[in-house]
Amino acid sequence: MANKKSTKKNFKTSSADVIESIKNKIVTFLNANGKSSMPLNQLETKCRSKKEGRENFIKAFDELRTDGVIMMRKGMKVALCSRLNVYAGTVSRLSRTFGFAVTDDGVEYFIPGKCMLGAMPQDRVLIAAIPSRTGEPEGEILDILKFGSNQLTGKIEFVDGRYYLVPDTAAKNHMTISVNESLPFKNGDKVLAEIVYRGRRHSEHKVKIILVFGSSEYASSCAASVLMIHGAPMEFPSDVLKEAEKISEGGVQEYCFNNREDLRDLNIFTIDSAESKDLDDAVSVERIEKGYRLGVHIADVSHYVKGNSELDKEALRRGTSIYYADKVIPMLPKELSNGICSLNPNENRLTLSAFIDLDEDGEMLSYRFCKSVICSRVKGVYKEINAILDGSADAEILEKYSAVSGEIPLMNELADKLIAKKKRRHAPEIETAESKLIIGEDGICCGVAARERGKSECIIEEFMLTANEAAAKLAKEKQIPFVYRIHEAPPEEKVQNLSSTMVKLGLSCPHFNEFKPVHATEILNSARGTDKFEAVNIMVLRSMAKAKYSTEPVGHFGLVLDDYAHFTSPIRRYPDLAIHRIITDILAGYNEQWLNKRYGGFAVNAAERSSAAEVRAVAIERECEDCYKAEYMKAHIGESFTAKISSVTEFGFYAELPNTVEGLVHIRTLPEGEYDYSEPVSLTEKFSGVSYSLGDTVQVLCSAVNVSEGTIDFVLDDEEE
């Protein structure tokens, strides 16, 4: 039996080696061929023997073709893509008349609609460069190597006696619906479709309807389609729910307090928004001889969610909770997120605590972590704490917070020191506006407002940043695998664009060989208080790299910190849960060798998958928010608003209202003339000199909305024109 197993194993290895050998031969013979291509039958004769078999040749050939190494030409001839300057890539997005594809090397090509070959987003394709009309890379698709997903969302339209699908993320061409194969649907429905036939043009594709979300006039239907197309996990598997229910039913027992510091006598409490149900962080502050002792106490989710359990696998798959409108898709079942893990007031809860000692200037003196048990004194609410701090709190609020009335002023004092320290580090103070959607009982968006940010929000932010920094310092000190939150310096190209924009705006730009946070701060400060600040603030924000997760502690550019991680939200972010598990084993006394062996691969996997999950969550939240904002503006079509220009393009400009709603003023709606586009600052009419620039105030009318696409159209009102 042993010999048979060995023979079988060798056979498998040999088969893979044969395919690899044939692939090498194919590339070698095509390279050596004096002409650009070779007949397929001739190539096959050269590359394989009877022993290797035709099946292996076909497999090797197909793999090279899918990888974009070789391509088929007319007359059944084969050529190396590199010889023909043809590149493999992926279709990234489409519009009605054109699309974009990104090569494996990261070069993005503009593809005219007539050159798309009917390719859809995520299709793997071969791209050849064609003469560019703009100076940017322009190409045509020569072949579709591998189809991406055949599923797409869209809206049903009834035109000339027939129903068609108007896709969302694909070209806006009308696609024919195979009614007999479809579920029942109505005109205007938002649907999920599946391509059943692919033509050489998008308009030739045929689809069947496999799911109906509801009317495309409702943001809730459109949000459901966004979640579906992005693959957001809606339901928890039954085995995950069983684990969560078992943990919840077990409760927090006294024996769970063994080997934990009992902090129930400390004045610890949570501060969150009034709507929050997943309370994963609580704080305490006390005076010490050298300054302050900050306590940040985080729900010990890792005590309940064990590595490689069904709960853990599902949490890693989700990566993060997703928040949109008034809903949440949680990373963990509610039995944990809103129940046994949530730091609810007057209930014993298991925590992982960070105690950080800071001097009178807020500088970190020392830190330590411990497993703990707490009992939160009160569920603090931002708005109520803000009222206490500004002296407007009524008797009811003061009574609610009487148990922690001494800590609140001390927290405010320490936060001021931490904010001042951040200023000393020259951390750029970029202003961003978050939206608050007000959803009525009927599920329709009836209000949009800029989310207010008071002092208590700043206090909690500074305390969480401090604990996050301490966690990263611990890992770096121990030299163990970890999941860091990193923010790299802006790409050189974006820095150059920022510098040229400053010149276009008539503002001075600091000189530098290497762009550092202090330079971003100087740029912002140079415009602060002027009518150019909005434009500069937008450009600095857009110049920044995206933060992500990594096992390499390269630091955080925006916060100007050498050490940073996400430690404070394990209920809703997997990286936090991951590092809690690592810190727990550090506290248990495991040595560096053991920790490296156990968590080396885990940290890499957690960082990569969490970064991808975050990108998906951000896209979902943004697209859903756009649909709800469009739904809100339906009731305000024809109304006039004062707005500020937030972005300028060659086809018009975007204007943002004070409530964060943004709409497009298309160039075709501007006063007649010939407009020059000065990227990315302004559109200027050649003869009149009338200019529309970043940060300018304009008066606009809401002219149209499309809830399905999440778009809003503005026009300049009569007075402005």
Side-chain angles (χ1 to χ4, degrees):
M1 288 294 289
N3 288 338
K4 287 184 179 179
K5 286 183 179 177
S6 176
T7 303
K8 190 174 182 181
K9 183 177 181 181
N10 289 338
F11 174 76
K12 285 185 177 178
T13 304
S14 175
S15 178
D17 287 345
V18 167
I19 291 171
E20 198 61 37
S21 173
I22 296 174
K23 287 166 68 174
N24 290 333
K25 286 179 182 178
I26 291 172
V27 174
T28 300
F29 284 125
L30 288 175
N31 254 325
N33 187 38
K35 299 178 181 179
S36 61
S37 60
M38 179 185 292
L40 177 59
N41 57 358
Q42 181 183 338
L43 180 64
E44 183 178 352
T45 301
K46 283 177 171 287
C47 290
R48 75 173 182 87
S49 63
K50 289 182 179 180
K51 183 180 177 181
E52 289 168 335
R54 190 160 197 273
E55 186 179 326
N56 285 329
F57 174 81
I58 293 171
K59 191 172 290 187
F61 186 89
D62 286 345
E63 286 183 12
L64 287 175
R65 184 173 172 273
T66 302
D67 289 342
V69 176
I70 62 176
M71 66 173 291
M72 288 293 297
R73 305 189 75 186
K74 289 181 180 179
M76 294 296 286
K77 292 186 176 182
V78 187
L80 284 172
C81 292
S82 57
R83 274 202 171 183
L84 302 176
N85 293 322
V86 173
Y87 312 98
T90 304
V91 175
S92 54
R93 62 190 193 276
L94 298 174
S95 76
R96 187 184 299 274
T97 57
F98 59 86
F100 290 91
V102 181
T103 68
D104 293 345
D105 294 332
V107 179
E108 184 175 66
Y109 279 81
F110 170 86
I111 314 290
K114 64 182 180 181
C115 301
M116 286 298 304
L117 278 188
M120 301 292 289
Q122 302 312 310
D123 280 358
R124 186 159 175 77
V125 296
L126 277 184
I127 308 157
I130 60 176
S132 173
R133 292 162 290 182
T134 63
E136 296 298 318
E138 191 166 331
E140 63 177 332
I141 292 175
L142 300 180
D143 193 9
I144 300 175
L145 304 176
K146 187 178 181 181
F147 293 142
S149 173
N150 273 330
Q151 292 188 352
L152 66 162
T153 57
K155 183 173 71 170
I156 300 293
E157 283 193 5
F158 189 71
V159 182
D160 296 332
R162 294 188 67 177
Y163 287 104
Y164 294 91
L165 175 76
V166 182
D168 292 329
T169 55
K172 298 299 190 288
N173 290 284
H174 286 60
M175 293 184 183
T176 304
I177 299 172
S178 177
V179 177
N180 293 337
E181 299 180 70
S182 299
L183 290 177
F185 56 81
K186 300 188 298 293
N187 185 34
D189 276 349
K190 191 79 169 181
V191 297
L192 177 68
E194 185 176 284
I195 300 174
V196 294
Y197 170 79
R198 282 191 179 234
R200 301 288 281 181
R201 298 172 180 270
H202 294 115
S203 57
E204 295 174 358
H205 295 343
K206 292 182 181 179
V207 300
K208 66 178 180 180
I209 308 306
I210 59 176
L211 185 62
V212 178
F213 299 108
S215 171
S216 60
E217 292 300 309
Y218 294 115
S220 56
S221 301
C222 301
S225 75
V226 169
L227 297 170
M228 175 67 71
I229 207 67
H230 282 285
M234 302 301 294
E235 303 295 333
F236 285 99
S238 58
D239 50 359
V240 173
L241 291 174
K242 285 177 184 175
E243 274 190 16
E245 288 165 6
K246 185 176 180 180
I247 290 169
S248 178
E249 289 167 1
V252 182
Q253 304 298 328
E254 286 288 333
Y255 68 82
C256 297
F257 306 160
N258 294 338
N259 301 316
R260 289 180 180 269
E261 291 190 26
D262 192 339
L263 307 178
R264 287 176 289 180
D265 289 337
L266 274 182
N267 274 355
I268 296 172
F269 63 109
T270 63
I271 307 178
D272 286 277
S273 64
E275 303 83 19
S276 294
K277 295 177 181 177
D278 50 351
L279 313 178
D280 47 14
D281 58 89
V283 293
S284 61
V285 181
E286 55 186 312
R287 267 281 185 188
I288 58 173
E289 184 178 347
K290 293 182 179 179
Y292 309 87
R293 176 162 295 153
L294 169 65
V296 177
H297 314 278
I298 308 300
D300 190 3
V301 180
S302 65
H303 175 82
Y304 301 106
V305 181
K306 303 297 184 184
N308 214 34
S309 64
E310 295 305 317
L311 273 167
D312 181 56
K313 292 174 187 174
E314 182 67 12
L316 177 58
R317 185 171 78 92
R318 292 176 176 237
T320 181
S321 296
I322 300 171
Y323 299 87
Y324 70 99
D326 57 348
K327 297 177 176 61
V328 60
I329 302 171
M331 185 179 79
L332 297 169
K334 66 179 185 302
E335 288 82 2
L336 274 67
S337 61
N338 298 354
I340 199 166
C341 291
S342 185
L343 307 182
N344 301 326
N346 304 312
E347 294 182 10
N348 293 332
R349 285 292 183 261
L350 305 183
T351 44
L352 179 55
S353 295
F355 285 103
I356 303 112
D357 287 357
L358 305 119
D359 67 16
E360 291 292 348
D361 293 322
E363 299 292 343
M364 193 180 296
L365 299 170
S366 63
Y367 57 85
R368 75 178 183 90
F369 291 82
C370 66
K371 291 281 200 173
S372 54
V373 54
I374 70 165
C375 184
S376 174
R377 294 288 185 267
V378 64
K379 180 186 176 182
V381 175
Y382 288 131
K383 189 174 181 180
E384 295 170 349
I385 302 280
N386 289 335
I388 292 173
L389 291 172
D390 67 20
S392 64
D394 58 24
E396 185 179 351
I397 291 176
L398 294 174
E399 174 59 29
K400 175 182 174 179
Y401 292 91
S402 59
V404 293
S405 59
E407 280 73 13
I408 293 174
L410 191 60
M411 289 167 55
N412 190 40
E413 182 182 309
L414 174 57
D416 284 340
K417 304 285 180 69
L418 294 172
I419 292 168
K421 183 175 73 168
K422 190 190 289 184
K423 288 180 181 291
R424 291 196 298 273
R425 295 199 307 266
H426 302 292
E429 295 180 60
I430 302 173
E431 295 182 8
T432 57
E434 291 185 23
S435 304
K436 182 177 181 179
L437 304 177
I438 302 163
I439 310 299
E441 292 182 3
D442 55 3
I444 294 175
C445 185
C446 57
V448 180
R451 195 175 291 278
E452 294 182 6
R453 181 177 161 82
K455 186 59 181 293
S456 66
E457 286 91 339
C458 296
I459 290 171
I460 292 302
E461 179 182 298
E462 292 301 325
F463 289 179
M464 298 304 116
L465 291 178
T466 303
N468 287 340
E469 182 184 7
K473 282 183 178 294
L474 173 67
K476 190 188 277 190
E477 175 190 309
K478 297 289 185 182
Q479 293 188 314
I480 56 170
F482 211 62
V483 181
Y484 296 93
R485 180 66 168 178
I486 67 167
H487 184 219
E488 296 167 301
E492 185 176 344
E493 181 183 350
K494 289 190 175 183
V495 171
Q496 290 174 352
N497 289 341
L498 177 61
S499 298
S500 63
T501 299
M502 293 294 288
V503 173
K504 290 175 183 177
L505 290 171
L507 297 170
S508 61
C509 186
H511 296 288
F512 50 81
N513 293 321
E514 179 186 353
F515 190 72
K516 296 182 177 179
V518 64
H519 300 126
T521 297
E522 288 173 3
I523 288 171
L524 288 165
N525 289 343
S526 70
R528 204 176 297 276
T530 73
D531 59 358
K532 301 283 199 313
F533 178 72
E534 286 84 359
V536 173
N537 183 74
I538 290 167
M539 292 310 303
V540 172
L541 177 63
R542 290 176 182 166
S543 72
M544 292 293 165
K546 285 183 170 63
K548 60 184 179 182
Y549 298 103
S550 173
T551 55
E552 296 299 320
V554 301
H556 199 290
F557 183 91
L559 295 172
V560 200
L561 291 173
D562 292 330
D563 309 303
Y564 196 66
H566 273 168
F567 165 76
T568 55
S569 296
I571 289 177
R572 61 184 180 88
R573 289 189 307 226
Y574 193 84
D576 307 54
L577 172 57
I579 70 171
H580 275 226
R581 197 170 288 152
I582 297 170
I583 291 173
T584 294
D585 282 347
I586 293 174
L587 297 177
Y590 290 100
N591 62 34
E592 290 176 20
Q593 185 179 358
W594 187 91
L595 291 167
N596 274 281
K597 184 177 180 181
R598 180 176 179 84
Y599 292 113
F602 169 75
V604 171
N605 189 38
E608 290 177 353
R609 294 184 63 175
S610 296
S611 292
E614 180 183 38
V615 169
R616 178 178 69 176
V618 169
I620 289 171
E621 290 169 3
R622 182 185 66 247
E623 290 172 27
C624 289
E625 184 176 285
D626 288 344
C627 293
Y628 278 97
K629 285 181 176 179
E631 181 179 62
Y632 165 71
M633 291 301 289
K634 273 177 64 179
H636 299 279
I637 292 175
E639 294 182 21
S640 180
F641 300 91
T642 301
K644 287 200 171 180
I645 297 177
S646 55
S647 179
V648 182
T649 73
E650 67 274 11
F651 54 82
F653 59 82
Y654 288 88
E656 185 177 70
L657 309 186
N659 65 357
T660 74
V661 167
E662 190 177 55
L664 172 66
V665 179
H666 201 281
I667 194 169
R668 66 172 176 265
T669 70
L670 295 177
E672 190 174 342
E674 192 173 337
Y675 288 87
D676 284 334
Y677 172 49
S678 176
E679 184 183 9
V681 178
S682 62
L683 274 176
T684 304
E685 205 286 309
K686 274 187 179 182
F687 303 104
S688 68
V690 173
S691 180
Y692 304 97
S693 303
L694 269 174
D696 283 356
T697 299
V698 289
Q699 199 70 21
V700 296
L701 291 170
C702 180
S703 59
V705 301
N706 187 320
V707 179
S708 179
E709 296 180 11
T711 57
I712 299 164
D713 290 333
F714 290 151
V715 295
L716 297 177
D717 72 7
D718 292 337
E719 292 181 11
E720 184 70 16
E721 292 181 9

